[in-house]
Amino acid sequence: MAPAPFIIVAIDGGAAAGKSSAARALSERFNLLHADTGSYYRAVTAALLGRQVAPTDLTAVQAALPALRLTTRIEGKSARMEIDGQPPGNEIRSAAVNDAVSHFAAIPEVRDSLLAYQRGQADAARAHGFAGLVMEGRDIGSVIFPDATFRFFLFADPAERAKRRAREGQQDTVAERDRIDSSRKTAPLTCPVGAFSLDTTLLTLHQVVERIAAPIAALLAAP
Ligand code: DC
């Protein structure tokens, strides 16, 4: 029997659409390295804010970015970003980062600085013996891995998403972040052409996972 192919699964969607829970579940089920690229944008945002760089100051952003040394630590099945050798702390979920991250993420230089890093997670997955990579974000199926083996786009009613964040104990303006993320010029949040799109509003996590796991399981089971 031919060895199973190395697979790349892209999961895009708005804030609190259910991407992280689904990606973690797929990672466990199929032994995929999990990369949460929202946490990468958050880590870079926290690092820039920590250096007193505002998203409105493009010159300062451009000067600060090359000095950030981005590396990866594999923790269980997660590919965590470290900056200058330090894992980011809880501040990446703070209100300050929630408010600033979409503004930094709209800057093309910020996105460029993360492009090769994100693509490199596929090499990290191979090097560490994973069966593939599951990467979640906003532009994974459109820009980072347009040729991914599977591309999913999750969405949900804004009121339900706000409730999910509140249940996680987070104050997050999901609709406002989505508005900024969808309207930016570079790599906007959008359902990539040809991606499988799924409304998660009325689905349990289990149901979401079953829907997106089915075609993956079918491919892996194929002789
Ligand atoms: O997934 P999240 O809510 O933690 O993402 C935080 C922000 O990062 C989101 O508002 C937009 C940005 N982001 C992005 O622009 N592109 C990605 N691939 C992932 C996140």
Side-chain angles (χ1 to χ4, degrees):
M1 203 168 116
F6 181 88
I7 61 168
I8 296 185
V9 182
I11 305 183
D12 289 303
K19 302 185 300 290
S20 288
S21 308
R24 272 196 295 269
L26 291 186
S27 155
E28 287 299 330
R29 187 178 299 190
F30 298 113
N31 188 31
L32 309 176
L33 180 64
H34 172 214
D36 169 7
T37 64
S39 74
Y40 302 164
Y41 279 91
R42 288 171 176 277
V44 167
T45 295
L48 293 174
L49 291 177
R51 288 159 177 74
Q52 320 300 327
V53 175
T56 45
D57 187 348
L58 190 55
T59 309
V61 172
Q62 287 168 338
L65 283 173
L68 301 180
R69 196 170 55 83
L70 309 181
T71 51
T72 303
R73 189 161 50 93
I74 309 284
E75 212 179 84
K77 294 191 192 306
S78 291
R80 306 236 187 255
M81 173 185 278
E82 294 188 333
I83 299 187
D84 298 335
Q86 296 299 317
N90 292 337
E91 78 275 11
I92 69 166
R93 306 280 159 198
S94 67
V97 169
N98 280 344
D99 289 346
V101 63
S102 290
H103 298 287
F104 281 114
I107 300 173
E109 285 85 348
V110 171
R111 306 201 70 79
D112 279 352
S113 75
L114 285 173
L115 187 78
Y117 178 84
Q118 292 172 95
R119 289 190 177 148
Q121 298 306 329
D123 303 324
R126 283 193 182 88
H128 285 83
F130 288 94
L133 171 72
V134 55
M135 179 170 277
E136 53 166 303
R138 303 294 188 288
D139 62 343
I140 310 308
S142 56
V143 175
I144 308 299
F145 289 116
D147 296 329
T149 326
F150 297 97
R151 295 181 304 156
F152 298 99
F153 186 83
L154 306 188
F155 63 100
D157 180 77
E160 168 60 22
R161 294 189 293 131
K163 268 193 245 159
R164 289 177 188 170
R165 277 292 195 259
R167 276 200 295 271
E168 292 164 4
Q170 280 200 57
Q171 278 196 326
D172 190 0
T173 50
V174 290
E176 173 60 6
R177 279 205 291 126
D178 278 2
R179 190 190 61 72
I180 303 171
D181 295 338
S182 309
S183 58
R184 68 180 174 227
K185 288 204 179 69
T186 311
L189 165 64
T190 179
C191 179
V193 176
F196 175 77
S197 109
L198 184 63
D199 182 350
T200 69
T201 309
L202 300 175
L203 299 180
T204 62
L205 169 62
H206 178 74
Q207 289 169 325
V208 173
V209 172
E210 288 314 306
R211 301 260 175 110
I212 62 183
I216 301 174
L219 176 79
L220 295 180

